[in-house]
Amino acid sequence: MDAVLQRDADIALSDREMDRIVRLVYERSGITLHQGKRALIVARLHRLLKAGGFTSFSQYVRHVETDHTGHQLSVLLDAITTNHTSFFREDEHFRFLAERVVPPIVAESRPVRLWCAACSTGQEPVSLAMTLMQALPESHHTRVRLLASDISTRALKTASAGVYPMKVTAGVPPSLLKTYFERGLGADDGKVRVRAQLRRTIEYRRVNLVEIDNLN
């Protein structure tokens, strides 16, 4: 008999349903879940079940599987994905970009095209853009274009807005914070926004790497 993990006594997740969700998520997105994520799955999907009037996880999964628009899958993935990122995370990578990658680009006067394939809420592509703007001559700034993609529509909404609580920018050097961010006023006090000239270098797009054919 399937073991059952109960939540609110009226909707439970069986082992069979857990396996089905794990398989669906992996096949459609490449994201690997495991038994250690069981409580997280129950907690995050329970709200969707209640909102949609579903009486079981099986019924909800059937609904996702038969939605050929892909919208319900996006909603499911938004619910279960955890977006962990920060500005200048793994800062040695950004030093490598500035010191080793940029000089040949400048010497050959080439355009700069980068793809941040899992951009989460935008801190990484913004960090890349700041690094490039600092390392490149001003004459090259208009040649910089970054594609920033993620599977999570929720994360991309935050990234596109470019608005963050001030505490999130703790890893940004003060000089860069002054140059590339503007402070929020009024209702946005305590927040900062990426300045428009930097935002214009980044295109945010939803991309599922499992289904990708091209990025034209």
Side-chain angles (χ1 to χ4, degrees):
M1 180 180 295
D2 288 340
V4 172
L5 182 66
Q6 191 77 27
R7 182 178 174 88
D8 285 355
D10 56 342
I11 301 179
L13 176 66
S14 69
D15 287 343
R16 185 175 296 124
E17 290 168 331
M18 172 71 179
D19 291 342
R20 189 174 175 186
I21 292 171
V22 168
R23 184 170 60 254
L24 172 67
V25 170
Y26 180 75
E27 289 176 350
R28 300 290 183 89
S29 72
I31 296 172
T32 301
L33 300 174
H34 51 77
Q35 286 295 333
K37 299 290 187 180
R38 189 185 184 97
L40 178 146
I41 291 172
V42 172
R44 295 189 178 181
L45 295 190
H46 186 266
R47 175 181 58 83
L48 298 181
L49 269 68
K50 284 292 191 181
F54 301 103
T55 58
S56 70
F57 282 91
S58 291
Q59 187 182 35
Y60 172 68
V61 172
R62 281 197 300 273
H63 177 65
V64 173
E65 290 175 332
T66 55
D67 173 27
H68 299 299
T69 69
H71 173 70
Q72 292 303 323
L73 177 64
S74 294
V75 172
L76 185 155
L77 294 175
D78 275 349
I80 64 169
T81 50
T82 299
N83 304 109
H84 178 66
T85 186
S86 62
F87 288 104
F88 293 103
R89 185 183 180 192
E90 308 292 349
D91 63 308
E92 64 272 17
H93 297 169
F94 297 96
R95 289 198 300 271
F96 183 88
L97 174 65
E99 297 170 6
R100 301 290 296 277
V101 177
V102 166
I105 291 174
V106 174
E108 298 175 19
S109 194
R110 289 183 290 163
V112 183
R113 300 289 184 267
L114 296 181
W115 176 24
C116 181
C119 71
S120 187
T121 47
Q123 286 92 323
E124 183 173 319
V126 171
S127 299
L128 287 169
M130 286 190 287
T131 300
L132 290 169
M133 292 302 179
Q134 290 296 110
L136 288 165
E138 188 172 349
S139 59
H140 281 63
H141 288 188
T142 58
R143 299 183 177 189
V144 175
R145 291 293 181 271
L146 281 79
L147 171 62
S149 67
D150 203 273
I151 197 171
S152 171
T153 54
R154 179 183 57 194
L156 287 170
K157 183 177 180 180
T158 298
S160 298
V163 177
Y164 303 95
M166 178 66 77
K167 62 182 180 181
V168 172
T169 64
V172 181
S175 61
L176 298 186
L177 192 62
K178 182 178 180 179
T179 301
Y180 297 111
F181 292 84
E182 53 194 7
R183 290 180 178 272
L185 301 174
D188 290 323
D189 185 36
K191 297 179 181 179
V192 295
R193 186 181 187 184
V194 180
R195 291 188 184 274
Q197 67 265 30
L198 198 70
R199 295 201 312 273
R200 282 194 291 267
T201 68
I202 308 170
E203 176 193 353
Y204 290 101
R205 192 188 306 178
R206 184 182 182 276
V207 175
N208 184 343
L209 298 179
V210 171
E211 300 175 351
I212 189 170
D213 290 321
N214 61 69
L215 290 174
N216 293 334

